[in-house]
Amino acid sequence: MTSVDIIKAIASSQFTADELRNINTAIRNQLNNASYTNARSIHVGQSVKFFSPRYQVHVSGVVKKVKLKNVDVQITNPAGNIETWVVPASVLTAA
């Protein structure tokens, strides 16, 4: 079953409210596990990149601190200023 099939099944209301809550819980748990796993593979000083949905651009930077599920990434914005963004570990990839 693909993600498109799952979305179509959910949209066509083939599930009860309890089943939808269970599906939601399973998805949230899997996302949390992915964040924890990815955070353990990222190290301070490593170059990373990610997509910023807010600004619709790909951003690259250097890891400054690794937390449980989030990572502090130091970036240089287009104006040349250095900023630190708190980014979910699950969206980071090695640059």
Side-chain angles (χ1 to χ4, degrees):
M1 182 177 261
T2 66
S3 61
V4 174
D5 295 334
I6 294 170
I7 292 169
K8 286 180 182 177
I10 291 171
S12 66
S13 298
Q14 294 179 359
F15 298 104
T16 65
D18 285 336
E19 290 172 329
L20 288 172
R21 277 191 279 283
N22 290 338
I23 292 168
N24 185 29
T25 300
I27 291 171
R28 280 188 285 126
N29 288 342
Q30 193 60 34
L31 285 172
N32 283 338
N33 288 340
S35 290
Y36 290 133
T37 302
N38 204 23
R40 285 192 297 269
S41 68
I42 295 172
H43 306 287
V44 173
Q46 182 178 0
S47 294
V48 294
K49 61 183 175 180
F50 61 96
F51 180 75
S52 170
R54 175 183 284 179
Y55 299 109
Q56 298 294 312
V57 295
H58 290 278
V59 181
S60 60
V62 177
V63 174
K64 289 300 170 189
K65 183 176 183 180
V66 179
K67 302 174 187 175
L68 286 177
K69 294 191 313 184
N70 296 317
V71 178
D72 289 352
V73 179
Q74 188 176 42
I75 66 156
T76 304
N77 66 17
N81 299 324
I82 296 175
E83 299 177 349
T84 300
W85 289 13
V86 178
V87 182
S90 61
V91 301
L92 293 175
T93 57

